[in-house]
mmCIF file of all heavy atoms in Angstrom:
data_model
loop_
_atom_site.group_PDB
_atom_site.id
_atom_site.type_symbol
_atom_site.label_atom_id
_atom_site.label_comp_id
_atom_site.label_asym_id
_atom_site.label_seq_id
_atom_site.Cartn_x
_atom_site.Cartn_y
_atom_site.Cartn_z
ATOM 1 N N GLU A 50 -18.871 -1.670 -5.954
ATOM 2 C CA GLU A 50 -18.403 -2.369 -4.724
ATOM 3 C C GLU A 50 -17.166 -3.158 -4.961
ATOM 4 O O GLU A 50 -16.809 -4.067 -4.227
ATOM 5 C CB GLU A 50 -19.525 -3.189 -4.154
ATOM 6 C CG GLU A 50 -20.774 -2.384 -3.908
ATOM 7 C CD GLU A 50 -21.497 -2.752 -2.609
ATOM 8 O OE1 GLU A 50 -21.508 -3.975 -2.317
ATOM 9 O OE2 GLU A 50 -21.944 -1.870 -1.928
ATOM 10 N N GLN A 51 -16.474 -2.964 -6.115
ATOM 11 C CA GLN A 51 -15.181 -3.605 -6.323
ATOM 12 C C GLN A 51 -14.125 -3.033 -5.394
ATOM 13 O O GLN A 51 -14.114 -1.844 -5.138
ATOM 14 C CB GLN A 51 -14.775 -3.441 -7.802
ATOM 15 C CG GLN A 51 -15.529 -4.213 -8.823
ATOM 16 C CD GLN A 51 -15.148 -5.618 -8.865
ATOM 17 O OE1 GLN A 51 -13.980 -5.974 -8.908
ATOM 18 N NE2 GLN A 51 -16.195 -6.516 -8.745
ATOM 19 N N PRO A 52 -13.176 -3.821 -4.933
ATOM 20 C CA PRO A 52 -12.091 -3.232 -4.216
ATOM 21 C C PRO A 52 -11.202 -2.379 -5.108
ATOM 22 O O PRO A 52 -10.767 -2.823 -6.126
ATOM 23 C CB PRO A 52 -11.341 -4.487 -3.628
ATOM 24 C CG PRO A 52 -11.742 -5.621 -4.490
ATOM 25 C CD PRO A 52 -13.095 -5.260 -5.038
ATOM 26 N N ILE A 53 -10.953 -1.182 -4.671
ATOM 27 C CA ILE A 53 -10.114 -0.238 -5.521
ATOM 28 C C ILE A 53 -9.117 0.450 -4.584
ATOM 29 O O ILE A 53 -9.348 0.467 -3.350
ATOM 30 C CB ILE A 53 -10.995 0.841 -6.189
ATOM 31 C CG1 ILE A 53 -11.847 1.627 -5.176
ATOM 32 C CG2 ILE A 53 -11.887 0.210 -7.286
ATOM 33 C CD1 ILE A 53 -12.484 2.859 -5.688
ATOM 34 N N LEU A 54 -8.102 0.973 -5.187
ATOM 35 C CA LEU A 54 -7.141 1.741 -4.362
ATOM 36 C C LEU A 54 -7.753 3.078 -3.997
ATOM 37 O O LEU A 54 -8.527 3.647 -4.834
ATOM 38 C CB LEU A 54 -5.841 2.036 -5.218
ATOM 39 C CG LEU A 54 -5.032 0.778 -5.413
ATOM 40 C CD1 LEU A 54 -3.840 1.100 -6.368
ATOM 41 C CD2 LEU A 54 -4.472 0.208 -4.123
ATOM 42 N N PRO A 55 -7.532 3.628 -2.835
ATOM 43 C CA PRO A 55 -8.094 4.868 -2.456
ATOM 44 C C PRO A 55 -7.629 6.066 -3.419
ATOM 45 O O PRO A 55 -6.475 5.970 -3.838
ATOM 46 C CB PRO A 55 -7.628 5.162 -0.977
ATOM 47 C CG PRO A 55 -7.087 3.872 -0.584
ATOM 48 C CD PRO A 55 -6.673 3.054 -1.763
ATOM 49 N N HIS A 56 -8.475 7.010 -3.590
ATOM 50 C CA HIS A 56 -8.171 8.267 -4.367
ATOM 51 C C HIS A 56 -7.798 7.887 -5.842
ATOM 52 O O HIS A 56 -6.971 8.518 -6.397
ATOM 53 C CB HIS A 56 -6.980 9.034 -3.695
ATOM 54 C CG HIS A 56 -7.218 9.279 -2.285
ATOM 55 N ND1 HIS A 56 -8.139 10.245 -1.857
ATOM 56 C CD2 HIS A 56 -6.663 8.742 -1.138
ATOM 57 C CE1 HIS A 56 -8.129 10.269 -0.497
ATOM 58 N NE2 HIS A 56 -7.238 9.388 -0.035
ATOM 59 N N THR A 57 -8.430 6.864 -6.325
ATOM 60 C CA THR A 57 -8.239 6.494 -7.715
ATOM 61 C C THR A 57 -9.631 6.323 -8.311
ATOM 62 O O THR A 57 -10.608 5.937 -7.691
ATOM 63 C CB THR A 57 -7.442 5.240 -7.907
ATOM 64 O OG1 THR A 57 -8.085 4.144 -7.194
ATOM 65 C CG2 THR A 57 -6.011 5.351 -7.469
ATOM 66 N N ILE A 58 -9.731 6.594 -9.641
ATOM 67 C CA ILE A 58 -10.930 6.288 -10.345
ATOM 68 C C ILE A 58 -11.102 4.727 -10.372
ATOM 69 O O ILE A 58 -10.117 4.023 -10.553
ATOM 70 C CB ILE A 58 -10.818 6.861 -11.784
ATOM 71 C CG1 ILE A 58 -10.777 8.364 -11.714
ATOM 72 C CG2 ILE A 58 -12.001 6.401 -12.665
ATOM 73 C CD1 ILE A 58 -10.493 9.007 -13.108
ATOM 74 N N CYS A 59 -12.320 4.333 -10.263
ATOM 75 C CA CYS A 59 -12.571 2.837 -10.218
ATOM 76 C C CYS A 59 -12.197 2.304 -11.570
ATOM 77 O O CYS A 59 -12.783 2.722 -12.599
ATOM 78 C CB CYS A 59 -14.009 2.545 -9.943
ATOM 79 S SG CYS A 59 -14.504 0.859 -10.005
ATOM 80 N N PRO A 60 -11.316 1.390 -11.685
ATOM 81 C CA PRO A 60 -10.973 0.759 -12.998
ATOM 82 C C PRO A 60 -12.102 -0.085 -13.570
ATOM 83 O O PRO A 60 -12.068 -0.378 -14.817
ATOM 84 C CB PRO A 60 -9.735 -0.061 -12.768
ATOM 85 C CG PRO A 60 -9.728 -0.385 -11.298
ATOM 86 C CD PRO A 60 -10.555 0.715 -10.618
ATOM 87 N N ASN A 61 -13.084 -0.426 -12.771
ATOM 88 C CA ASN A 61 -14.177 -1.301 -13.250
ATOM 89 C C ASN A 61 -15.251 -0.525 -13.925
ATOM 90 O O ASN A 61 -15.744 -0.802 -15.011
ATOM 91 C CB ASN A 61 -14.656 -2.136 -12.107
ATOM 92 C CG ASN A 61 -15.686 -3.194 -12.569
ATOM 93 O OD1 ASN A 61 -15.372 -3.951 -13.433
ATOM 94 N ND2 ASN A 61 -16.860 -3.167 -11.932
ATOM 95 N N CYS A 62 -15.694 0.583 -13.286
ATOM 96 C CA CYS A 62 -16.837 1.374 -13.796
ATOM 97 C C CYS A 62 -16.459 2.778 -14.097
ATOM 98 O O CYS A 62 -17.263 3.512 -14.742
ATOM 99 C CB CYS A 62 -17.970 1.265 -12.801
ATOM 100 S SG CYS A 62 -17.677 2.146 -11.269
ATOM 101 N N GLY A 63 -15.307 3.275 -13.768
ATOM 102 C CA GLY A 63 -14.858 4.645 -14.114
ATOM 103 C C GLY A 63 -15.499 5.728 -13.282
ATOM 104 O O GLY A 63 -15.320 6.921 -13.612
ATOM 105 N N PHE A 64 -16.081 5.356 -12.151
ATOM 106 C CA PHE A 64 -16.664 6.365 -11.273
ATOM 107 C C PHE A 64 -15.664 6.830 -10.212
ATOM 108 O O PHE A 64 -14.822 6.004 -9.742
ATOM 109 C CB PHE A 64 -17.910 5.752 -10.552
ATOM 110 C CG PHE A 64 -19.156 6.042 -11.304
ATOM 111 C CD1 PHE A 64 -19.363 5.535 -12.534
ATOM 112 C CD2 PHE A 64 -20.205 6.895 -10.742
ATOM 113 C CE1 PHE A 64 -20.537 5.744 -13.299
ATOM 114 C CE2 PHE A 64 -21.334 7.140 -11.469
ATOM 115 C CZ PHE A 64 -21.520 6.517 -12.710
ATOM 116 N N TYR A 65 -15.673 8.073 -9.875
ATOM 117 C CA TYR A 65 -14.912 8.594 -8.756
ATOM 118 C C TYR A 65 -15.766 9.659 -8.097
ATOM 119 O O TYR A 65 -16.315 10.518 -8.782
ATOM 120 C CB TYR A 65 -13.561 9.155 -9.262
ATOM 121 C CG TYR A 65 -12.714 9.627 -8.137
ATOM 122 C CD1 TYR A 65 -12.004 8.711 -7.344
ATOM 123 C CD2 TYR A 65 -12.660 11.021 -7.847
ATOM 124 C CE1 TYR A 65 -11.181 9.160 -6.294
ATOM 125 C CE2 TYR A 65 -11.806 11.426 -6.770
ATOM 126 C CZ TYR A 65 -11.157 10.527 -5.998
ATOM 127 O OH TYR A 65 -10.360 10.897 -4.977
ATOM 128 N N SER A 66 -15.809 9.584 -6.795
ATOM 129 C CA SER A 66 -16.643 10.558 -6.001
ATOM 130 C C SER A 66 -18.022 10.679 -6.514
ATOM 131 O O SER A 66 -18.603 11.770 -6.681
ATOM 132 C CB SER A 66 -15.920 11.920 -6.067
ATOM 133 O OG SER A 66 -16.510 12.812 -5.139
ATOM 134 N N GLY A 67 -18.597 9.540 -6.820
ATOM 135 C CA GLY A 67 -20.021 9.462 -7.198
ATOM 136 C C GLY A 67 -20.400 9.924 -8.604
ATOM 137 O O GLY A 67 -21.573 10.084 -8.933
ATOM 138 N N ARG A 68 -19.347 10.265 -9.396
ATOM 139 C CA ARG A 68 -19.602 10.734 -10.788
ATOM 140 C C ARG A 68 -18.778 9.963 -11.797
ATOM 141 O O ARG A 68 -17.713 9.446 -11.449
ATOM 142 C CB ARG A 68 -19.302 12.251 -10.933
ATOM 143 C CG ARG A 68 -20.266 13.155 -10.260
ATOM 144 C CD ARG A 68 -19.863 14.591 -10.287
ATOM 145 N NE ARG A 68 -19.615 14.978 -11.685
ATOM 146 C CZ ARG A 68 -19.020 16.145 -12.028
ATOM 147 N NH1 ARG A 68 -18.660 16.963 -11.083
ATOM 148 N NH2 ARG A 68 -18.801 16.432 -13.281
ATOM 149 N N LEU A 69 -19.297 9.854 -12.979
ATOM 150 C CA LEU A 69 -18.512 9.213 -14.029
ATOM 151 C C LEU A 69 -17.320 10.118 -14.430
ATOM 152 O O LEU A 69 -17.588 11.227 -14.923
ATOM 153 C CB LEU A 69 -19.405 8.911 -15.207
ATOM 154 C CG LEU A 69 -18.784 8.100 -16.382
ATOM 155 C CD1 LEU A 69 -18.426 6.705 -15.922
ATOM 156 C CD2 LEU A 69 -19.689 8.046 -17.570
ATOM 157 N N ARG A 70 -16.154 9.641 -14.253
ATOM 158 C CA ARG A 70 -14.950 10.451 -14.527
ATOM 159 C C ARG A 70 -14.224 9.952 -15.721
ATOM 160 O O ARG A 70 -13.384 10.671 -16.304
ATOM 161 C CB ARG A 70 -14.033 10.505 -13.354
ATOM 162 C CG ARG A 70 -14.661 10.945 -12.066
ATOM 163 C CD ARG A 70 -15.014 12.426 -12.103
ATOM 164 N NE ARG A 70 -15.621 12.788 -10.801
ATOM 165 C CZ ARG A 70 -15.538 13.959 -10.308
ATOM 166 N NH1 ARG A 70 -15.018 14.934 -10.961
ATOM 167 N NH2 ARG A 70 -16.128 14.236 -9.164
ATOM 168 N N ALA A 71 -14.373 8.711 -16.073
ATOM 169 C CA ALA A 71 -13.628 8.091 -17.175
ATOM 170 C C ALA A 71 -14.452 6.979 -17.744
ATOM 171 O O ALA A 71 -15.252 6.372 -17.068
ATOM 172 C CB ALA A 71 -12.244 7.567 -16.660
ATOM 173 N N VAL A 72 -14.342 6.832 -19.064
ATOM 174 C CA VAL A 72 -15.076 5.715 -19.724
ATOM 175 C C VAL A 72 -14.122 4.518 -19.738
ATOM 176 O O VAL A 72 -13.023 4.612 -20.185
ATOM 177 C CB VAL A 72 -15.462 6.184 -21.164
ATOM 178 C CG1 VAL A 72 -16.182 4.991 -21.877
ATOM 179 C CG2 VAL A 72 -16.423 7.373 -21.089
ATOM 180 N N VAL A 73 -14.612 3.447 -19.189
ATOM 181 C CA VAL A 73 -13.828 2.206 -19.164
ATOM 182 C C VAL A 73 -14.115 1.446 -20.494
ATOM 183 O O VAL A 73 -15.262 1.154 -20.727
ATOM 184 C CB VAL A 73 -14.173 1.328 -17.931
ATOM 185 C CG1 VAL A 73 -13.401 0.020 -17.942
ATOM 186 C CG2 VAL A 73 -13.856 2.090 -16.708
ATOM 187 N N LEU A 74 -13.070 1.204 -21.258
ATOM 188 C CA LEU A 74 -13.219 0.497 -22.507
ATOM 189 C C LEU A 74 -13.268 -1.007 -22.215
ATOM 190 O O LEU A 74 -12.678 -1.483 -21.274
ATOM 191 C CB LEU A 74 -11.986 0.777 -23.390
ATOM 192 C CG LEU A 74 -11.842 2.240 -23.792
ATOM 193 C CD1 LEU A 74 -10.550 2.437 -24.581
ATOM 194 C CD2 LEU A 74 -12.997 2.788 -24.620
ATOM 195 N N GLU A 75 -14.099 -1.677 -23.006
ATOM 196 C CA GLU A 75 -14.145 -3.067 -22.945
ATOM 197 C C GLU A 75 -12.822 -3.732 -23.231
ATOM 198 O O GLU A 75 -12.133 -3.324 -24.143
ATOM 199 C CB GLU A 75 -15.189 -3.631 -23.907
ATOM 200 C CG GLU A 75 -16.648 -3.234 -23.582
ATOM 201 C CD GLU A 75 -17.207 -4.089 -22.481
ATOM 202 O OE1 GLU A 75 -16.943 -5.253 -22.368
ATOM 203 O OE2 GLU A 75 -18.036 -3.542 -21.704
#
Side-chain angles (χ1 to χ4, degrees):
E50 308 219 320
Q51 287 284 310
I53 56 167
L54 290 174
H56 308 288
T57 56
I58 295 172
C59 175
N61 187 52
C62 65
F64 269 63
Y65 184 76
S66 187
R68 286 175 55 190
L69 186 64
R70 306 291 180 153
V72 175
V73 178
L74 300 173
E75 292 282 325

